[in-house]
Amino acid sequence: MTDSFDLFRAFESLAAPKLRAEDAARARLAECMRDFGRGVDTSLVREAMLKAAIARPYREVTETALDTGTREAIDRMRKSLARQLLTRAPGGSTCQINNEATRMEIEAAQNFLANAEGLLEYAAETEEAEADAPAGGDPAPADAAKIGPVERRTLEAIRDNGTAFWKNRAGGFELWVERGYKPRKDMIEWAVSEGYAERDTTADGLLTGQAVTLTDLGHDVLDA
């Protein structure tokens, strides 16, 4: 890691797929509504509602972060969503659409809180690692004696948490863990590229996932 950690850029990367998914869902619904020769596809309505609910907190933080600062904008949104989770419950309306919208907003709040917590935790660990890096020039190589806390925690998660890449319906791969801390995908890729871990690419990833395990070098790093 040669660049200082940029929380705003990291949050933008986290928010971007949520915003794109909302735009795509709205576009599909709009196209359906313009076609008077077909009925309204309720599955498209539901998809647009859900994607909009998920994207809303990410969009609001992105829009306000430049004025308030990224960390402050995230913290404000976390507090707002936490209050919502304590005070809102689905099923309180006689309108089933409103009840479904409320359920989606609760799901979206839980999604944001989980992701924001992970991002802020990663930011704190990365900033700590950068503060400990040698002054001048690039940080020392991440060898057995010098890896930082973020790298160490990634390797520990690979060793202990049942880490694997699973193929999704779109054909891409998502990172999952069976238990405990879930590292960032790019940190898993770093571990594989450095030879500290290996990914079972012989599996198609659909039924059993592509397991990520430590190599002997990875075990040596943690045991050092």
Side-chain angles (χ1 to χ4, degrees), residues 114-180:
N115 287 332
E117 180 180 358
L119 177 61
L120 292 176
E121 183 179 79
Y122 177 78
E125 292 175 347
T126 305
E127 289 163 0
E128 179 184 349
E130 289 172 349
D132 293 339
D138 293 337
D143 59 22
K146 299 176 183 178
I147 64 168
V150 177
E151 290 84 357
R152 177 169 290 277
R153 192 171 188 190
T154 298
L155 297 183
E156 289 172 343
I158 294 172
R159 181 190 64 190
D160 301 331
N161 296 355
T163 307
F165 284 94
W166 285 82
K167 184 178 290 185
N168 57 33
R169 286 181 294 180
F173 283 90
E174 298 179 16
L175 180 66
W176 293 88
V177 295
E178 294 179 3
R179 67 193 75 85

Side-chain angles (χ1 to χ4, degrees), residues 25-40:
R26 287 180 180 271
R28 286 190 290 270
L29 177 59
E31 182 179 358
C32 171
M33 298 295 287
R34 286 193 297 267
D35 186 352
F36 293 99
R38 59 183 289 196
V40 176

Side-chain angles (χ1 to χ4, degrees), residues 101-119:
T102 299
R103 187 195 65 76
M104 291 178 180
E105 289 170 0
I106 291 172
E107 180 181 336
Q110 294 169 334
N111 175 282
F112 181 90
L113 290 172
N115 287 332
E117 180 180 358
L119 177 61

Side-chain angles (χ1 to χ4, degrees), residues 31-51:
E31 182 179 358
C32 171
M33 298 295 287
R34 286 193 297 267
D35 186 352
F36 293 99
R38 59 183 289 196
V40 176
D41 188 339
T42 56
S43 68
L44 295 179
V45 177
R46 185 183 184 283
E47 180 187 21
M49 290 171 61
L50 178 59
K51 299 304 183 184

Side-chain angles (χ1 to χ4, degrees), residues 66-218:
L66 293 177
D67 295 327
T68 65
T70 307
R71 199 179 301 271
E72 176 66 19
I74 293 174
D75 284 340
R76 287 183 184 180
M77 182 57 67
R78 293 172 71 200
K79 291 176 182 177
S80 174
L81 295 178
R83 285 194 297 269
Q84 285 187 29
L85 291 177
L86 291 173
T87 58
R88 302 191 67 181
S93 172
T94 57
C95 175
Q96 291 303 311
I97 295 176
N98 288 338
N99 288 334
E100 183 71 358
T102 299
R103 187 195 65 76
M104 291 178 180
E105 289 170 0
I106 291 172
E107 180 181 336
Q110 294 169 334
N111 175 282
F112 181 90
L113 290 172
N115 287 332
E117 180 180 358
L119 177 61
L120 292 176
E121 183 179 79
Y122 177 78
E125 292 175 347
T126 305
E127 289 163 0
E128 179 184 349
E130 289 172 349
D132 293 339
D138 293 337
D143 59 22
K146 299 176 183 178
I147 64 168
V150 177
E151 290 84 357
R152 177 169 290 277
R153 192 171 188 190
T154 298
L155 297 183
E156 289 172 343
I158 294 172
R159 181 190 64 190
D160 301 331
N161 296 355
T163 307
F165 284 94
W166 285 82
K167 184 178 290 185
N168 57 33
R169 286 181 294 180
F173 283 90
E174 298 179 16
L175 180 66
W176 293 88
V177 295
E178 294 179 3
R179 67 193 75 85
Y181 171 70
K182 179 181 176 181
R184 287 172 59 94
K185 183 179 178 181
D186 64 326
M187 292 305 299
I188 298 292
E189 292 169 344
W190 162 83
V192 172
S193 68
E194 293 292 328
Y196 299 143
E198 56 187 4
R199 174 177 173 178
D200 181 12
T201 56
T202 62
D204 65 12
L206 185 61
L207 298 178
T208 61
Q210 294 183 347
V212 181
T213 55
L214 286 187
T215 62
D216 290 342
L217 178 59

